[in-house]
Amino acid sequence: MSLFSINTPRLLAAGLILASSLAQAADPIYFQFRDLLADKAIRSVLDPRIRIYLANDASPTIVESAAPDTYTGTGISINPFGGSKRHCVEAFANAIRSMVNDAVAGGYDSILNLRAMDGDTPSRDPNGFSCTPAYKVTVLSLHSTFGATADTVQRAAEDDQRLLGEPYREPWEDSIYVALAPIANSPEVQAIFADKVKGYWGVDAPNYRVRGIPEDYAGSATVNRQDLQASCKQAVLNTLKDMVGDATERGFDSLIRIRSRMYEQTTPGMASIECEIGKKAVFVKLQGTLANRR
């Protein structure tokens, strides 16, 4: 037996102990928000439509805002000796990317009061944060509030008006249009919205304190070939029940701008529900935005 063979287990054990001790010995690294946001890698995940404001920045006049929220990003290390500074940067980039994407999807133009999370609460440090690279997965959570200025809100209202005036298009293959008004005004829908959560269709919305981002909800019902209209209505009812349940669970009292969408396209004119007819079931997709009334 060779000398190498005799010592291999000991060398492996020593290497594992060293790797473990190095991984546990990683020191926190302090990052400045402004430095990170100016970094080329971070700039690549930003969007020119979204301005980011730190807690001590002068922010624009905001006319619509979202509830504060937290976004978590990760940096993955495959190095047996643990993570490094770049994994903290990677985690920050991934959290910021998700935040920016949601801001765009929600029709906002500002990310306000950006902070890192310190445990379960936002950090009191408005300028930066400390990150300790982890052995395999470095996790970083960021906290902020979305806002929209008057110009952005006005453009969104103009876009909605254009949607109302969109020309007719044929429904997607295997789909039919079902008139919205008889469903929206039905006793069943009124019962779904009878409690704390109120529903607003098309471009309608009450005065509200905060709103979320538009979200899609899919629903289905058993197909009845003799009455496809009734089948589609039941799919809408099932979807609305899920939407109201989600709003209740998340503490919102309104579902605003409810509209039919299929394959990422809003149904023209918003006066119909697009319903896909399958072999055993029918399917609908409704988009709505959670909000809290003033």
Side-chain angles (χ1 to χ4, degrees):
M1 185 177 292
S2 70
L3 181 62
F4 177 78
S5 299
I6 294 173
N7 289 334
T8 295
R10 294 181 181 177
L11 290 172
L12 288 173
L16 290 173
I17 292 172
L18 176 61
S20 176
S21 64
L22 287 174
Q24 295 174 0
D27 293 325
I29 305 170
Y30 186 78
F31 294 88
Q32 293 272 356
F33 283 125
R34 296 192 194 284
D35 292 343
L36 280 171
L37 293 172
D39 183 88
K40 182 178 179 180
I42 305 301
R43 291 203 311 272
S44 68
V45 305
L46 302 180
D47 190 296
R49 293 170 289 183
I50 306 297
R51 296 288 302 275
I52 298 177
Y53 299 88
L54 306 185
N56 52 5
D57 286 341
S59 61
T61 300
I62 298 299
V63 298
E64 288 191 3
S65 63
D69 206 352
T70 301
Y71 288 79
T72 298
T74 58
I76 309 299
S77 171
I78 59 174
N79 189 324
F81 298 106
S84 62
K85 177 180 178 179
R86 71 183 181 89
H87 298 107
C88 289
V89 175
E90 181 181 312
F92 181 84
N94 288 332
I96 282 288
R97 178 190 290 108
S98 296
M99 190 179 290
V100 168
N101 288 346
D102 272 5
V104 171
Y108 297 100
D109 58 24
S110 305
I111 292 175
L112 309 165
N113 198 23
L114 179 66
R115 293 178 184 264
M117 291 295 289
D118 184 5
D120 294 330
T121 59
S123 169
R124 299 180 65 181
D125 184 350
N127 299 309
F129 60 92
S130 292
C131 171
T132 302
Y135 172 48
K136 290 184 178 179
V137 182
T138 300
V139 180
L140 176 67
S141 294
L142 301 176
H143 192 265
S144 70
T145 301
F146 296 159
T149 60
D151 286 346
T152 293
V153 171
Q154 178 61 33
R155 285 194 295 271
E158 292 169 356
D159 288 342
D160 272 349
Q161 290 305 312
R162 279 193 290 272
L163 283 174
L164 284 174
E166 271 194 340
Y168 175 86
R169 66 165 169 81
E170 291 292 332
W172 291 98
E173 185 178 359
D174 298 324
S175 296
I176 63 172
Y177 286 143
V178 180
L180 169 61
I183 298 176
N185 298 324
S186 68
E188 297 94 327
V189 168
Q190 300 306 311
I192 291 173
F193 289 116
D195 294 325
K196 294 181 180 179
V197 178
K198 302 300 180 184
Y200 301 85
W201 295 85
V203 299
D204 291 341
N207 292 325
Y208 49 83
R209 291 184 289 108
V210 296
R211 67 168 175 86
I213 64 174
E215 298 181 57
D216 290 341
Y217 297 80
S220 63
T222 302
V223 66
N224 178 356
R225 296 286 174 183
Q226 280 67 50
D227 195 344
L228 292 178
Q229 300 274 329
S231 300
C232 292
K233 176 181 177 179
Q234 188 58 54
V236 173
L237 296 177
N238 293 342
T239 308
L240 289 174
K241 289 175 184 177
D242 289 343
M243 295 171 77
V244 169
D246 187 40
T248 301
E249 183 178 338
R250 294 164 62 179
F252 289 91
D253 62 27
S254 301
L255 275 158
I256 65 174
R257 300 179 183 131
I258 305 170
R259 56 194 64 173
S260 171
R261 281 173 63 81
M262 188 71 72
Y263 300 109
E264 306 304 319
Q265 289 194 23
T266 301
T267 303
M270 301 188 200
S272 302
I273 301 290
E274 199 158 3
C275 179
E276 184 177 6
I277 311 301
K279 292 182 178 179
K280 296 183 178 181
V282 297
F283 306 90
V284 299
K285 182 178 287 186
L286 301 179
Q287 184 184 83
T289 302
L290 303 180
N292 276 324
R293 298 186 298 274
R294 290 189 185 278

